[in-house]
Amino acid sequence: GNSVTQMEGPVTLSEEAFLTINCTYTATGYPSLFWYVQYPGEGLQLLLKATKADDKGSNKGFEATYRKETTSFHLEKGSVQVSDSAVYFCALEKGGTGTYKYIFGTGTRLKVLA
Amino acid sequence: IAGITQAPTSQILAAGRRMTLRCTQDMRHNAMYWYRQDLGLGLRLIHYSNTAGTTGKGEVPDGYSVSRANTDDFPLTLASAVPSQTSVYFCASSPYGTKGSTATNEKLFFGSGTQLSVL
């Protein structure tokens, strides 16, 4: 079946450090891939997405590239800020026959220290 | 402000009691979802609805039921709560299939969640 695997957290970084959060997926066909972010006390928000191989999603300095050959969608940011502290979820969507379901990873907590 | 409203924000419930979590959206989205969020397990889909009048089971449907009488409302009912249902519950919607929507991978819009504790 479809699944998403993310690196376990928490990840603790100093401000301005480089961030990578790994995400790999298992799916038949060509799913769409997403990164969602959850700030404390809030629901999830879409951070970025990619719909086909080699697409790069980007938003707020975060980037992720859809790599079909390695079935990966790693999240990166060149210089993190304290305000980036949150939980990050990788997800895929593999619709079919009118059923649209998202599969989420377990989430990775990021803590950025000033 | 358009979006998804969940109620209550939090609830403490005795085991065996019946509880309905409410979810309302004003975006006229066709698809709606209920997830539970547990530490180390991420978000797991409980039930979903692709359009008013239809529902489907997700990964962890046991002990939960839903209804979709209209486009806007998607309540989740725990008929007889058990402690293992202690969790944070998120309702979400997506414009999949909505008239005028042409994208094939619309994002999910989430509510702010309901923290439920079953004792």
Side-chain angles (χ1 to χ4, degrees), chain B residues 6 14 40 57 62-63 66 77 95 99 108 110 115 119:
Chain B
Q6 289 187 237
K57 294 181 179 179
D62 294 344
V66 292
T77 298
K99 186 175 182 180
L108 288 172
F110 282 85
Q115 171 72 61
L119 306 177

Side-chain angles (χ1 to χ4, degrees), chain B residues 80-92:
Chain B
S80 179
V82 295
S84 62
Q85 293 178 310
T86 293
S87 187
V88 180
Y89 291 86
F90 286 100
C91 181

Side-chain angles (χ1 to χ4, degrees), chain A residues 1-59:
Chain A
N2 300 328
S3 66
V4 173
T5 302
Q6 310 184 214
M7 63 186 289
E8 290 200 19
V11 174
T12 303
L13 296 173
S14 298
E15 206 164 25
E16 299 184 3
F18 184 86
L19 169 71
T20 299
I21 300 178
N22 290 337
C23 171
T24 56
Y25 68 90
T26 301
T28 56
Y30 303 94
S32 296
L33 301 174
F34 304 81
W35 276 101
Y36 281 81
V37 58
Q38 183 182 31
Y39 298 105
E42 299 182 9
L44 282 68
Q45 308 171 27
L46 179 67
L47 180 59
L48 52 85
K49 67 179 184 181
T51 60
K52 60 183 186 297
D54 299 325
D55 266 4
K56 177 184 284 188
S58 61
N59 186 26

Side-chain angles (χ1 to χ4, degrees), chain B residues 57-82:
Chain B
K57 294 181 179 179
E59 301 173 68
V60 289
D62 294 344
Y64 305 95
S65 63
V66 292
S67 62
R68 189 86 184 278
N70 57 60
T71 296
D72 298 343
D73 300 302
F74 191 46
L76 176 74
T77 298
L78 290 66
S80 179
V82 295

Side-chain angles (χ1 to χ4, degrees), chain A residues 76-104:
Chain A
E76 297 181 337
K77 187 175 185 181
S79 176
V80 294
Q81 305 300 313
V82 172
S83 57
D84 293 327
S85 297
V87 181
Y88 293 81
F89 290 89
C90 186
L92 69 81
E93 190 283 313
K94 180 71 174 67
T97 62
T99 299
Y100 303 103
K101 296 186 213 175
Y102 293 77
I103 306 297
F104 286 86

